[in-house]
Amino acid sequence: MDYVIPAWFEIGSFVVLTIILVADLLLVVRRPHVPSPKESGLWVAFYVTLALIFAGLMFAFVGPDAGGEFVAGWLTEYSLSIDNLFVFVIIMAQFSVPKKMQQEVLMVGIILALLFRGVFILLGATLIEAYSWVFYIFGAFLLITAAQQAFSGRDDDEERESKLIGFLRKRIAITDEFDGMKIRTRIDGRTFFTPLLIVFIAIGTTDLIFALDSIPAIFGITQSPFIVFTANVFALMGLRQLYFLLGHLVDKLEYLKYGIAFILAFIGVKLVLHALHENEVPFINGGEPLPVPEIDTWTSLIVIILAMAVSVAASLLKLRREQRYIPSLTGRDDDEAPAAVQKAAEGEASVRGASESRER
């Protein structure tokens, strides 16, 4: 790390990000509603623009290396957050969470994600400072995670969530109906938990799993805790709006998981090469560094952008070829989960096909 981030820049960034997050939280609490596609799209564009402005400030006040590391880290975390979004869709659909409640539930999920990632960032930074060999562990972990990402199907995520739900229902008295945003309710004088408790546990577990994946990944791009944290914050901001904009299409982006797997594998290799370059492990080359090439930040950035662009483009082309494109949500105030849009579209297609057959 050949740059120094000014203290005023770090403090100012934390203050502004805190104000934005608090304002977003107050907006959800004071005005719970189902955002329309247009509203969701504008918010997503707003948060992406904020991230790009922040990247520009990093380039201007800290330097091109810091700016490049932020952009690469933000894109990596953003891609992992989109994958995280799919599991949120599963959870919402499995519990039939009313759409008017989904914004508040997602906000809790985002806050939990920030807390978990904050803890892992501090832990990761401490380990890296004290032990250079931790890069071997991070690299191996990411390579294993990449293989799991590439070869496990979406059904595995659903099966994991179903097992968690079954485990909790056997041990906790839970009602079948929600009672607003209450976790506990009273029925006939008895106290029960509502399904919201399991929803929060499922989302918290998901956040924890993705934090374990994402933190080693971004430490493979930068060792600056400040850049790691801000990249995570910007990746998570707007995730709630992205859920309503693309939630029902995430599971249709069939090749997205391969793009994410490639990125994780690439960063895993980069971490192992860095560990070899800085080697202090006595049973590898006698504890001396090895003359291996290192992957620079700009190469990483190009690879990440290409991997995401190719995987998303290939997925969209396949959708178009198979004519399985699903229109955007209409923003109706119904209680259907985003995943139900696909079923509705298929039902309309069946009715239309039957009608044409009768006419012929």
Side-chain angles (χ1 to χ4, degrees):
M1 189 168 67
D2 299 326
Y3 53 81
V4 176
I5 301 174
W8 65 264
F9 187 85
E10 291 189 356
I11 295 170
S13 299
F14 286 134
V15 170
V16 172
L17 287 175
T18 301
I19 292 172
I20 293 171
L21 288 171
V22 170
D24 198 16
L25 177 61
L26 290 175
L27 183 65
V28 171
V29 173
R30 293 173 62 89
R31 188 172 169 260
H33 68 292
V34 181
S36 67
K38 181 179 179 181
E39 180 186 346
S40 299
L42 288 173
W43 275 109
V44 171
F46 170 72
Y47 284 121
V48 169
T49 302
L50 275 184
L52 294 176
I53 290 172
F54 184 80
L57 293 174
M58 289 286 287
F59 274 95
F61 293 109
V62 185
D65 288 341
E69 287 180 7
F70 171 78
V71 174
W74 170 62
L75 288 174
T76 300
E77 295 301 314
Y78 205 80
S79 65
L80 289 169
S81 295
I82 292 173
D83 201 41
N84 197 349
L85 200 63
F86 172 79
V87 184
F88 285 169
V89 171
I90 292 175
I91 294 170
M92 298 294 186
Q94 282 187 333
F95 289 97
S96 300
V97 179
K99 288 183 72 173
K100 287 185 179 180
M101 291 172 53
Q102 288 179 14
Q103 283 219 68
E104 295 168 279
V105 171
L106 287 168
M107 199 66 201
V108 172
I110 290 169
I111 291 171
L112 288 174
L114 283 172
L115 290 174
F116 285 136
R117 295 186 188 199
V119 170
F120 282 118
I121 287 168
L122 291 174
L123 181 60
T126 303
L127 287 173
I128 289 170
E129 186 71 25
Y131 311 105
S132 63
W133 50 260
V134 78
F135 284 110
Y136 285 113
I137 297 175
F138 282 179
F141 178 77
L142 287 181
L143 290 171
I144 293 170
T145 304
Q148 291 175 338
Q149 174 78 14
F151 298 112
S152 66
R154 296 300 194 186
D155 292 339
D156 296 330
D157 293 316
E158 296 185 33
E159 184 180 352
R160 186 181 69 241
E161 297 302 329
S162 297
K163 286 181 178 178
L164 174 64
I165 293 164
F167 175 82
L168 292 172
R169 281 196 179 276
K170 287 179 182 178
R171 288 159 177 79
I172 304 173
I174 300 174
T175 64
D176 293 326
E177 302 294 331
F178 288 90
D179 186 8
M181 286 298 293
K182 294 181 180 178
I183 293 178
R184 300 179 70 184
T185 188
R186 292 185 69 83
I187 301 175
D188 297 330
R190 294 181 58 195
T191 301
F192 293 87
F193 287 101
T194 69
L196 192 61
L197 174 67
I198 304 183
V199 172
F200 284 153
I201 292 174
I203 285 179
T205 304
T206 299
D207 286 335
L208 181 61
I209 292 170
F210 276 91
L212 286 170
D213 294 341
S214 66
I215 298 308
I218 194 170
F219 269 118
I221 295 169
T222 177
Q223 278 79 65
S224 166
F226 172 76
I227 294 179
V228 171
F229 184 75
T230 52
N232 271 276
V233 172
F234 277 107
L236 290 169
M237 286 197 309
L239 188 62
R240 174 170 54 83
Q241 291 85 358
L242 193 64
Y243 169 87
F244 288 99
L245 183 66
L246 294 178
H248 62 295
L249 283 180
V250 170
D251 60 329
K252 306 298 182 293
L253 299 178
E254 189 172 332
Y255 300 120
L256 178 63
K257 68 173 187 175
Y258 297 111
I260 295 172
F262 182 82
I263 291 171
L264 291 175
F266 172 78
I267 298 174
V269 170
K270 180 181 178 181
L271 279 171
V272 172
L273 290 175
H274 179 75
L276 291 170
H277 190 268
E278 304 290 331
N279 181 59
E280 295 177 357
V281 179
F283 57 82
I284 298 178
N285 197 39
E288 296 295 322
L290 278 78
V292 296
E294 285 205 90
I295 302 171
D296 60 64
T297 301
W298 296 103
T299 302
S300 301
L301 180 58
I302 292 169
V303 169
I304 291 165
I305 292 174
L306 286 177
M308 288 305 299
V310 170
S311 61
V312 171
S315 299
L316 293 176
L317 284 173
K318 185 174 183 181
L319 277 175
R320 186 173 182 178
R321 199 165 52 242
E322 296 177 355
Q323 297 181 338
R324 291 193 297 126
Y325 176 76
I326 310 302
S328 297
L329 293 175
T330 58
R332 294 175 302 166
D333 290 337
D334 52 49
D335 289 337
E336 297 173 2
V341 177
Q342 166 69 2
K343 294 180 180 178
E346 291 173 353
E348 290 174 7
S350 300
V351 171
R352 188 164 55 249
S355 175
E356 290 172 358
S357 298
R358 285 196 299 270
E359 288 175 1
R360 287 197 295 267

